[in-house]
Amino acid sequence: MAETDTSLGYEQARDELVEVVRRLEAGGTSLEESLALWERGEELAQVCRHWLEGARARLDSALAAREAGTPEGDPEGGRK
C-alpha cells in the first residue's frame, strides 16, 4: 500500500474507487491511462479491505467479550 493511502478513510477510498471504476467502464482512455487507473483501483481496494478487516476484528472481539460475559468498555467487567 502506498504511503499516502494509509491516511485514507474507508469512505474516501471507496468513493475514489467508484470513480476509477466509472472511468474504466466509460472507456475512451489510452492503454497507459487504463493501466494506471487499474493499478490505482487495486491500491484503493486494498485500503478498503484493510478497513473492513479491522472492522471485522473489532466486531469479533466485541462478540467474544460479550460471550465471555465481559462487555468491552466496562471497567467492572460486567460486575455490579
Side-chain angles (χ1 to χ4, degrees):
M1 196 173 346
E3 183 72 28
T4 56
D5 290 340
T6 58
S7 64
L8 287 176
Y10 172 78
E11 290 82 5
Q12 185 180 1
R14 181 204 58 214
D15 291 347
E16 188 178 340
L17 180 56
V18 167
E19 179 61 20
V20 165
V21 170
R22 186 197 64 74
R23 288 179 61 193
L24 284 168
E25 288 178 341
T29 58
S30 69
L31 177 59
E32 192 63 33
E33 290 171 316
S34 294
L35 287 172
L37 285 169
W38 180 270
E39 290 170 346
R40 181 62 180 157
E42 289 291 329
E43 291 170 358
L44 292 165
Q46 181 60 33
V47 170
C48 290
R49 246 187 318 273
H50 171 77
W51 279 105
L52 292 172
E53 288 168 358
R56 170 49 78 192
R58 289 178 63 190
L59 286 171
D60 289 346
S61 177
L63 289 172
R66 181 176 168 197
E67 289 175 5
T70 55
E72 282 191 331
D74 183 356
E76 296 294 318
R79 295 180 305 254
K80 296 204 182 223

